Amino acid sequence: MNFNGIDFDTYFKHYPDENGFFGKYGGAYISDDLKQAMAEITEAYFTICKSSKFISELRGIRRDFQGRPTPISYLERLSGKLGNVQLYVKREDLNHSGAHKLNHCMGEALLAKYMGKKKVIAETGAGQHGVALATAAAYFGLECDIYMGSVDIKKQAPNVARMKILGANVVEVTHGLATLKEAVDAAFAAYANEYKDAIYCIGSVLGPHPFPMMVRDFQSVVGIEAREQFVGMTGELPDAVVACVGGGSNAAGMFAGFLNDPVDLYGVEPLGKGPKLGDHAASLKYGTEGIMHGFNSIMLKDENGEPAPVYSVASGLDYPSSGPEHAFLRDLGRVKYDVVDDEETIDAFFTLSRTEGIIPAIESAHAVAYGMKLAKQMGKGSVLINLSGRGDKDMDYVLQNYGIR
Ligand SMILES: *Cc1c(COP(=O)(O)O)cnc(C)c1O
């Protein structure tokens, strides 16, 4: 399919280019030491991802350990309530450990094993990436250092407990505001010292090349499965596909299955409390071009041009930028990026739970809220929503802050 001058039949061959660019976005803006480490990872990835041994091992892990393929569920009661549009969800909440993040963590850890590394390193904010990586490290018998700000350690006690039980070393970062940004800096610094024995595992389609590409490729299993399942269930493609966007990994994986199809794609960002800077984390909607954490993309900046403070009711979505490929697909017009706020999200959280017996992660509830709005606008057709994770982690928070609805 040709779209605005881009041939999507060969899209994955050309994007990113060999330097990690999706148009002007992406790249690797890092120190020479780290450049060398990234070059080593890129080379290993290109060799290994063509190896049938690696591919069949990853397939086996997905089937026997992660529980893939995850199903698609038809939301009969919710569809009936909204009108004539048929709603479906891809059940990444049923992936082992309860979200899509394990898809790329198992891939990254398997790559570490093939490269002969002994350790995986990462930072975590809310702890979701840390838990997924700790799970993968335990599976492969790798050491695992997770850098986390002291403020987040206090806030996210259950995830800290999970990481420790899984054998990970949770390294407390105490400087500055002691949250995600400081944890990223500390993890990068540690990696610069340890890259001979360790590999850095980024938690989304972010960071320097090759991570936006690798994480997308590992997540593309979601979209490839979903396309085949949807056609199998209905005999057709969905009219629209919806996914939430923080860094953008679950969306990138889902969209990868449909980029070359006549299907409308929607990425949903968190509008939080409103459009004022600091009240949301909708970088693609309100941000401008800039470089952070080693890549060029669209980002929210403060008055000094530094990454701005962001807010979302979903801690997995509050990042001041999004992956470079999303910035590219936005400019191209291939994917439409839009927002829903906290209130709409909490409503969708309860609606999906009550109507279908599925408690979504608050991140995923953003996509559900948008899918419901879209269904009302469309009037007919079908919408496939990526349900990136389950909501067990969010139940206490929702009840304390919003009560039962
Ligand atoms: C982390 C997380 C997200 C956001 O990450 P993306 O990289 O944007 O997909 C979304 N949903 C869940 C359940 C998460 O844990």
Side-chain angles (χ1 to χ4, degrees):
M1 184 178 81
N2 198 293
F3 188 91
N4 277 348
I6 302 283
D7 180 3
F8 277 95
D9 291 325
T10 55
Y11 175 81
F12 292 103
K13 262 199 159 65
H14 298 300
Y15 296 96
D17 71 12
E18 63 188 74
N19 297 314
F21 283 96
F22 301 86
K24 61 181 171 173
Y25 303 112
Y29 298 85
I30 45 180
S31 69
D32 285 344
D33 271 1
L34 284 177
K35 269 201 178 123
Q36 194 190 326
M38 291 300 147
E40 191 196 322
I41 295 174
T42 306
E43 194 188 314
Y45 176 69
F46 277 127
T47 308
I48 288 163
C49 73
K50 303 269 186 281
S51 129
S52 78
K53 191 158 171 276
F54 178 86
I55 291 164
S56 61
E57 189 169 355
L58 189 57
R59 282 189 183 153
I61 289 166
R62 285 172 174 164
R63 185 188 60 229
D64 305 330
F65 179 66
Q66 289 182 236
R68 303 205 68 90
T70 57
I72 283 181
S73 302
Y74 170 46
L75 306 181
E76 185 172 357
R77 294 210 325 119
L78 185 58
S79 303
K81 265 175 81 160
L82 295 173
N84 291 324
V85 172
Q86 309 307 312
L87 289 166
Y88 296 80
V89 280
K90 174 66 170 165
R91 303 291 306 278
E92 289 305 294
D93 59 318
L94 297 178
N95 196 24
H96 177 49
S97 81
H100 71 288
K101 284 197 175 71
L102 197 64
N103 298 329
H104 61 252
C105 286
M106 292 309 282
E108 288 173 325
L110 183 61
L111 181 66
K113 186 184 111 168
Y114 273 70
M115 290 177 75
K117 306 289 184 191
K118 295 182 184 62
K119 188 193 267 189
V120 288
I121 296 179
E123 79 291 333
T124 196
Q128 296 299 107
H129 176 52
V131 168
L133 191 60
T135 303
Y139 178 92
F140 288 107
L142 295 164
E143 289 172 51
C144 179
D145 287 354
I146 303 292
Y147 290 79
M148 193 168 185
S150 1
V151 171
D152 290 331
I153 288 182
K154 281 204 197 73
K155 261 188 157 139
Q156 309 290 342
N159 276 342
V160 174
R162 285 167 88 192
M163 286 185 267
K164 288 185 174 165
I165 288 168
L166 289 161
N169 178 24
V170 179
V171 185
E172 182 167 354
V173 179
T174 53
H175 70 271
L177 295 174
T179 59
L180 182 62
K181 184 183 171 298
E182 290 77 21
V184 174
D185 296 341
F188 260 106
Y191 179 56
N193 285 326
E194 297 183 66
Y195 71 84
K196 293 219 160 49
D197 296 320
I199 183 170
Y200 196 101
C201 293
I202 291 177
S204 187
V205 284
L206 301 170
H209 180 62
F211 281 95
M213 171 188 71
M214 272 189 347
V215 171
R216 172 198 70 190
D217 291 356
F218 289 136
Q219 287 294 346
S220 67
V221 66
V222 175
I224 292 167
E225 276 177 16
R227 188 184 191 282
E228 194 181 313
Q229 290 167 318
F230 197 93
V231 171
M233 286 169 90
T234 69
E236 305 179 325
L237 289 166
D239 293 300
V241 169
V242 180
C244 66
V245 178
S249 65
N250 85 88
M254 184 58 141
F255 297 163
F258 298 95
L259 279 175
N260 195 30
D261 290 316
V263 172
D264 295 330
L265 304 175
Y266 296 91
V268 186
E269 296 193 297
L271 183 59
K273 292 182 270 207
K276 201 165 107 260
L277 189 68
D279 282 351
H280 64 83
S283 43
L284 292 164
K285 176 111 178 169
Y286 297 110
T288 50
E289 191 176 343
I291 293 170
M292 68 180 282
H293 297 156
F295 65 103
N296 184 39
S297 188
I298 300 293
M299 59 194 266
L300 295 165
K301 296 178 209 163
D302 64 14
E303 62 278 9
N304 303 316
E306 294 295 312
V310 284
Y311 161 82
S312 165
V313 65
S315 48
L317 301 181
D318 63 0
Y319 184 73
S321 183
S322 290
E325 187 169 17
H326 288 292
F328 177 64
L329 293 170
R330 180 198 76 162
D331 287 5
L332 203 60
R334 177 65 192 93
V335 180
K336 184 162 187 267
Y337 295 87
D338 208 343
V339 293
V340 300
D341 66 18
D342 285 358
E343 277 300 313
E344 296 169 298
T345 299
I346 297 299
D347 269 345
F349 175 89
F350 280 108
T351 302
L352 189 70
S353 302
R354 297 282 167 85
T355 318
E356 298 287 345
I358 301 170
I359 303 175
I362 306 188
E363 290 82 3
S364 324
H366 283 76
V368 175
Y370 195 78
M372 285 163 50
K373 276 210 282 201
L374 196 61
K376 286 185 196 152
Q377 284 163 21
M378 284 165 59
K380 62 179 174 28
S382 60
V383 179
L384 172 63
I385 301 163
N386 197 18
L387 204 77
S388 53
R390 68 177 181 225
D392 304 48
K393 66 183 178 61
D394 301 313
M395 296 187 302
D396 290 346
Y397 178 86
V398 170
L399 288 189
Q400 271 163 27
N401 291 278
Y402 295 90
I404 283 283
R405 290 198 174 175

